[in-house]
Amino acid sequence: MRLAHRVSYELIKGPIPDALPLDHLCRVRRCVNPSHLEPVTLQENIKRGEAGAYLKARTHCPRGHLYDEENTRVGAKGRACRACSRMHTAAYRERNPGKVEEGNRKSKERRATQRRGRQPAPARTHCTNGHPYDEENTFRRADGRRGCKTCRRAAQKRYNPKRSKVTPE
């Protein structure tokens, strides 16, 4: 199946070079006027296009709230209306009071624990495989963390059996 604008261009102006896409200079996709069409590379056609322009032109969200600096949050997925987000959150909390209360309780407990100044966990004395962290079995990685020399030797033997002697970093 051949598209009408391509047939029109070929009949009036001749073959389309290298099967390039035709750019509608008038921005009307159903237009078949050959004087409104120009063969360009795909990259050029995309660059000239107005993809997403209709979304950027919107001044209000679907519920009618104004998109302004105070009411608009911009994220990876685009713009979001803060007023609508607040309404969604309130509706969720109304539908799920148990979940919200449980989440709030856990958050409060976590904050209270942090305020009390919990003691940090004691330093580990052994690696995850049970080898002791002592003078001859411990090395420091470039980022400052401790490492187990025995585990490192075993890993290097598994992945590079030709190396018999291993030197830690």
Side-chain angles (χ1 to χ4, degrees), residues 9-156:
Y9 186 90
E10 288 176 349
L11 286 174
I12 305 298
K13 293 199 171 184
I16 301 170
D18 298 326
L20 292 172
L22 293 175
D23 183 19
H24 292 266
L25 301 174
C26 60
R27 297 284 160 245
V28 179
R29 292 179 61 194
R30 63 180 175 267
C31 177
V32 295
N33 185 343
S35 63
H36 295 180
L37 302 171
E38 179 184 8
V40 294
T41 64
L42 182 60
Q43 288 176 330
E44 181 63 26
N45 196 16
I46 291 170
K47 191 165 42 171
R48 288 182 181 180
E50 297 174 359
Y54 70 97
L55 291 174
K56 293 175 189 168
R58 290 184 182 169
T59 58
H60 291 74
C61 78
R63 286 209 165 100
H65 302 118
L66 182 65
Y67 279 136
D68 59 3
E69 271 192 49
E70 190 176 300
N71 188 43
T72 307
R73 185 182 70 240
V74 180
K77 294 182 180 179
R79 294 187 295 184
C81 174
R82 290 181 192 270
C84 289
S85 294
R86 283 192 294 272
M87 288 178 6
H88 289 300
T89 302
Y92 176 83
R93 287 181 174 165
E94 193 173 308
R95 285 190 316 267
N96 302 295
K99 282 186 181 180
V100 174
E101 289 304 315
E102 179 70 17
N104 286 344
R105 185 181 57 76
K106 287 181 180 179
S107 295
K108 285 178 184 175
E109 287 174 2
R110 188 171 43 250
R111 284 193 299 270
T113 304
Q114 290 169 350
R115 279 194 299 265
R116 280 194 292 258
R118 244 180 30 183
Q119 295 297 318
R124 288 186 170 186
T125 59
H126 291 74
C127 74
T128 54
N129 291 323
H131 305 121
Y133 281 131
D134 54 14
E135 282 296 317
E136 60 259 3
N137 192 41
T138 306
F139 71 95
R140 289 282 175 186
R141 294 185 171 97
D143 61 3
R145 294 181 301 150
R146 288 187 300 180
C148 173
K149 288 182 182 178
T150 307
C151 291
R152 184 182 179 106
R153 274 190 225 101
Q156 286 181 341

